[in-house]
Structure formats: C-alpha cells, structure tokens
Amino acid sequence: MITIFNRKELYVTYSMSEQAKIRDKLSRSKTDYYVKTINRMSPSPFTSGIRSRTCSFGQNMDFNYKYILYVHKKNYEKAKYIINK
C-alpha cells in the first residue's frame, strides 16, 4: 500500500497520453503506483474565484491538468528502469 509516508515521486507530466503509457508500463510489470491529478484551473481556498474572473483566455489548454505519479520507495529504482526502457 502506498501512503504519503512511504512514497516517492516518480514522474510529473501534463500529458494525459504520456501518463497513461507510464501507468500501462507499471501495470504490466505489476508495480503499484499512485497518480495525483491536479486541475490547475480550479479555484483553491487561497485563490477563490480566480477562474471565474479570468476564464481561460490566453491559457494553453494542454497544461490544465498536472499528473504526478508516485511509487513505493522500495520500488523506485525498478519503476524508474521500467519507464525508461
């Protein structure tokens, strides 16, 4: 089980297809992973309503979502090897 205390960041991307390919490689090798998805356009408690004020004018829509892939610390080297081959 991957928790905040035993995980290590493996990969960060803004591409849905790229993160899907990496997830597929990790799944085929039976390596557990966790994906955190961040919507960069959604309002947060610190910038509430920013999206409603600015809309998406001038924003590159390819960078709306950020995908962070984590693996267990003990599987980090193995996972790094798997995604790079």
Side-chain angles (χ1 to χ4, degrees):
M1 182 165 144
I2 298 173
T3 67
I4 195 167
F5 303 110
N6 67 8
R7 70 184 184 188
K8 189 166 182 177
E9 187 177 292
L10 177 68
Y11 200 82
V12 177
T13 184
Y14 291 94
S15 168
M16 180 184 262
S17 61
E18 190 174 353
Q19 65 91 18
K21 288 177 189 175
I22 292 170
R23 287 178 41 218
D24 185 51
K25 287 181 179 183
L26 293 172
S27 292
R28 281 188 277 136
S29 68
K30 297 184 179 10
T31 303
D32 288 335
Y33 62 89
Y34 172 77
V35 180
K36 180 177 181 179
T37 305
I38 300 170
N39 181 349
R40 298 181 64 234
M41 290 296 290
S42 69
S44 73
F46 305 107
T47 59
S48 61
I50 191 86
R51 184 174 164 192
S52 63
R53 286 191 309 238
T54 62
C55 299
S56 59
F57 180 74
Q59 299 289 326
N60 186 341
M61 300 312 249
D62 294 334
F63 297 106
N64 278 351
Y65 290 94
K66 181 178 182 179
Y67 304 96
I68 307 170
L69 286 92
Y70 297 96
V71 293
H72 196 284
K73 288 178 184 178
K74 68 179 181 177
N75 295 332
Y76 178 75
E77 292 300 323
K78 174 187 169 188
K80 198 164 83 169
Y81 173 77
I82 289 166
I83 66 169
N84 288 325
K85 69 175 181 174

